[in-house]
Amino acid sequence: MKVITANFVTCAVKECKTSPTSFPLHFHDAELEMQELDFQPEFIRNVIPRIDWEGLRVTANELGFPSLPESKPEGEALGDEQTLKDLHRLLLETQVMEGKLICGNCGHEYVIKEGIANFLLPSHLV
Amino acid sequence: MSHAEEYEQQNVHEVYQQIAQHFSATRYKPWPIVEQYLQNLTPGSIGLDVGCGNGKNLLVNRNVFIIASDRSENLARIALQHQPHSAVVADILHLPHRDGYFDFAMCIAVVHHLSTPERRVQAIAEILRTVKRGSDTQPGGTVLVYAWALEQKNSRRGWDKGDQQDIMVPWVRKNPTAPEESQTFNRYYHLFEEGELERDIESAGGHVVTSGYEKDNWWAIATPKVKVSP
């Protein structure tokens, strides 16, 4: 699972959606792997405005990456190739292969196995 | 588990797990309306492909980012390979996505696998929930839904108006070297009659922007209904 994916998922439990603590889900025991991908600066530049920056900061921190700047790169900063390369590496090339994603509201744990996260709920949570 | 859930587990989910590889090898070209819908998106748009199957619709546009999901882990794993997108395992009735967040969502040939009218409407409502709500100043996100049509008398199946809508459709997995070992899997389908998809979308709180018929399927593009301010 790419790191960027964590920015666009939350708890599958309906009641958690309205709770601010359900986003982002929290990584535990994450095993990372780098998978090289073509660097497309235009893609990163277009996607950044749609990223929940606060959420990404939490995720990056949990995965042990150096702190991201407090505010999202905008305008001129998006012209800086190094900034875009760093984000490309974090968002698209960093894969969580094994681990868990835990909801901060209900505590449910979603398992990531061989690079794929499973959001199916057990019947008592449906 | 409710009866409907159990039924779908047995007659849809388990079948796709079994036929994933073979199914995927026969699904490689997006349908024209789907292709056009995806190509018209603004670069940088973020969207969902609910019930992505092998991910054939992830090949169309590499300038948007799609979080694809499927109930079958075997299919979601095949979909994973299509960059720059992403794939997870999820249930259409309980999507792991925030409210009103996405620019677009598509659900191609999926809602016809839900076995009651309530569950089909609930599935469409769940997808509508994830896309941006429009306002007076800004258009909302859109949802593209496809479902198999009852009216397809020119197809090899030959069904038409008046026929049974809830049916089992065989999937034959041939073994070319040992024909006697070919296996048949039956999948449940609800065939949509003309106008039914639009009615379901309205019941789910959606507004149909445009709709039509393509390749034996009914399709519609919808947005969440805008609440009229007093």
Side-chain angles (χ1 to χ4, degrees), chain B residues 4-6 20 24 39 45 59 74 93 115 154 162 170 189 197:
Chain B
E5 276 173 78
E6 241 170 83
S24 176
Q39 276 163 352
S45 296
L59 297 164
N74 290 350
L93 298 177
S115 60
N154 296 322
Y189 276 90
L197 182 59

Side-chain angles (χ1 to χ4, degrees), chain A residues 59-73:
Chain A
T59 300
N61 186 41
E62 284 171 358
L63 295 177
F65 279 82
S67 292
L68 292 174
E70 259 176 51
S71 55
K72 194 196 279 198

Side-chain angles (χ1 to χ4, degrees), chain B:
Chain B
M1 232 192 251
S2 74
H3 175 71
E5 276 173 78
E6 241 170 83
Y7 183 82
E8 289 161 18
Q9 176 70 34
Q10 191 187 334
N11 294 300
V12 178
H13 306 149
E14 280 172 20
V15 177
Y16 276 110
Q17 278 287 71
Q18 299 270 350
I19 68 174
Q21 284 294 337
H22 180 218
F23 175 82
S24 176
T26 61
R27 300 285 187 283
Y28 44 85
K29 208 180 172 332
W31 292 329
I33 299 271
V34 178
E35 203 162 15
Q36 197 191 339
Y37 174 80
L38 284 167
Q39 276 163 352
N40 286 340
L41 295 165
T42 311
S45 296
I46 311 287
L48 305 176
D49 182 357
V50 179
C52 63
N54 66 351
K56 68 171 180 176
N57 298 317
L58 303 176
L59 297 164
V60 180
N61 190 339
R62 290 176 58 109
N63 300 315
V64 300
F65 183 67
I66 301 173
I67 302 93
S69 58
D70 204 277
R71 186 71 178 61
S72 158
E73 185 183 329
N74 290 350
L75 284 171
R77 277 196 188 281
I78 300 172
L80 260 188
Q81 63 190 302
H82 303 305
Q83 306 296 349
H85 310 294
S86 174
V88 299
V89 178
D91 188 313
I92 193 171
L93 298 177
H94 307 277
L95 292 175
H97 304 294
R98 293 200 268 175
D99 294 349
Y101 200 80
F102 296 91
D103 302 304
F104 68 96
M106 56 182 160
C107 181
I108 312 301
V110 179
V111 290
H112 52 217
H113 283 312
L114 290 136
S115 60
T116 67
E118 295 74 26
R119 288 167 70 81
R120 292 190 285 275
V121 169
Q122 207 187 324
I124 295 169
E126 181 65 354
I127 298 164
L128 284 164
R129 174 187 72 72
T130 65
V131 300
K132 281 186 199 160
R133 317 231 134 222
S135 65
D136 301 343
T137 52
Q138 206 188 321
T142 59
V143 172
L144 172 64
V145 188
Y146 261 72
W148 220 6
L150 175 64
E151 298 83 353
Q152 48 170 306
K153 63 170 183 284
N154 296 322
S155 78
R156 74 182 166 103
R157 314 274 185 188
W159 300 303
D160 203 2
K161 198 176 160 72
D163 286 343
Q164 167 69 253
Q165 285 183 264
D166 294 281
I167 55 162
M168 300 302 288
V169 179
W171 179 275
V172 181
R173 190 168 62 185
K174 289 202 176 85
N175 184 339
T177 50
E180 68 280 3
E181 281 172 28
S182 295
Q183 268 182 293
T184 301
F185 299 88
N186 284 305
R187 282 171 300 165
Y188 165 83
Y189 276 90
H190 172 81
L191 301 173
F192 279 65
E193 61 176 8
E194 185 172 10
E196 186 177 353
L197 182 59
E198 289 89 339
R199 285 199 301 277
D200 282 359
I201 289 170
E202 293 288 330
S203 307
H207 163 72
V208 177
V209 180
T210 160
S211 61
Y213 181 90
E214 180 188 58
K215 294 198 180 272
D216 309 326
N217 284 269
W218 295 109
W219 62 268
I221 294 174
T223 57
K225 255 187 208 132
V226 181
K227 290 201 179 70
V228 183
S229 42

